Amino acid sequence: MMPRRHRDVKTYICGQGERMGGRMALEIRHFASVIVLAACAALLPLAASAQSVTQYSYDARGRLIGTQRGEGVTSDYTMDPASNRTRVRVTPQFPTAWSATDPAIGHYVGRAEGSAWSASATDAASFMSYGPYTANVSIGSHVAAFRMLVDNNTANNANVVLLDVFDTTSLITLASRQVTRREWRAPFAYQVFEIPFVLDASRAGHAIEFRVWYQQQSYVRIERVGYR
């Protein structure tokens, strides 16, 4: 049991300054370049984090029937027999949500980055996010949502994080999902991952967590967790 407790991708191109003569000038230039490159390496993940991925769904006839935007909104389209769009249903994925640094959310590994929380391959395998122990989830069917990004989505298809919905009161996992590296569509781009779950009448008022278990495979950043 766990203790309680904008969009645009900016690319920074860094290099050496104007040519200068003499050995001392070369050494100064090299030293400055090292500092600037290091600073850029530190800034790039933060600058790139504003991007989000939009995913598209098509039916067997190749018609667009839905989108899922990395900001946390899905759209579903209904077609008539002539393929005219007759209805659009827009669904917020986070009507109830907590930022990754909300006091109700706990962490065993990682660190805060603004309102997000990140972990890298030097961190241990453990919960990078757990909580919020909410007792307000109503009886019935729900969908948990996790907004996250990864630094590299092509190196391999390793298991990066394990997501679950956990009933802390009865110590039961209600639903879980393994997320692999290639499920992200782009590097440093926020994407929403969902898990359907059901809260039956016997669990009314139980403390529920939306947890992220980090698996030491990649840099990962969580921006928020929630459910609908």
Side-chain angles (χ1 to χ4, degrees):
M1 175 176 175
M2 296 298 101
R4 298 202 173 195
R5 288 218 345 110
H6 88 26
R7 206 113 136 95
D8 297 326
V9 178
K10 297 179 176 62
T11 302
Y12 291 81
I13 302 175
C14 306
Q16 297 180 344
E18 297 180 356
R19 289 189 174 274
M20 302 171 63
R23 180 180 180 84
M24 182 175 290
L26 286 171
E27 291 178 353
I28 292 172
R29 186 177 65 185
H30 174 72
F31 181 70
S33 296
V34 169
I35 293 175
V36 173
L37 286 169
C40 285
L43 286 172
L44 181 55
L46 290 175
S49 68
Q51 186 184 19
S52 294
V53 167
T54 298
Q55 300 178 77
Y56 301 90
S57 301
Y58 300 87
D59 65 13
R61 297 171 58 182
R63 300 177 301 181
L64 179 65
I65 57 172
T67 63
Q68 182 187 71
R69 303 209 313 264
E71 293 89 346
V73 176
T74 64
S75 298
D76 299 299
Y77 309 124
T78 301
M79 306 284 185
D80 65 16
S83 295
N84 298 307
R85 190 175 296 171
T86 59
R87 185 173 67 92
V88 179
R89 183 181 64 186
V90 178
T91 305
Q93 294 177 280
F94 294 95
T96 303
W98 295 261
S99 74
T101 53
D102 188 288
I105 302 297
H107 315 278
Y108 274 174
V109 296
R111 60 211 50 83
E113 289 190 20
S115 62
W117 191 269
S118 71
S120 60
T122 56
D123 291 310
S126 188
F127 286 106
M128 64 180 292
S129 177
Y130 62 89
Y133 304 100
T134 178
N136 297 323
V137 181
S138 61
I139 299 305
S141 298
H142 297 277
V143 179
F146 303 77
R147 188 172 189 253
M148 306 179 294
L149 64 74
V150 72
D151 64 340
N152 185 317
N153 68 318
T154 59
N156 53 41
N157 202 29
N159 294 331
V160 175
V161 289
L162 176 65
L163 312 177
D164 72 27
V165 180
F166 190 71
D167 179 344
T168 307
T169 303
S170 59
L171 301 180
I172 296 292
T173 299
L174 303 180
S176 65
R177 173 180 177 178
Q178 181 72 66
V179 181
T180 63
R181 186 188 302 275
R182 291 179 185 161
E183 290 187 72
W184 273 275
R185 302 303 181 189
F188 289 113
Y190 277 117
Q191 192 168 321
V192 178
F193 296 90
E194 297 186 333
I195 310 177
F197 71 98
V198 175
L199 199 71
D200 62 43
S202 68
R203 303 184 191 283
H206 284 201
I208 304 300
E209 297 184 72
F210 308 103
R211 307 188 302 183
V212 180
W213 177 269
Y214 178 67
Q215 294 176 287
Q216 287 186 296
Q217 292 295 324
S218 186
Y219 171 90
V220 177
R221 190 185 305 160
I222 307 168
E223 190 268 339
R224 82 186 85 150
V225 300
Y227 73 96
R228 64 177 188 273

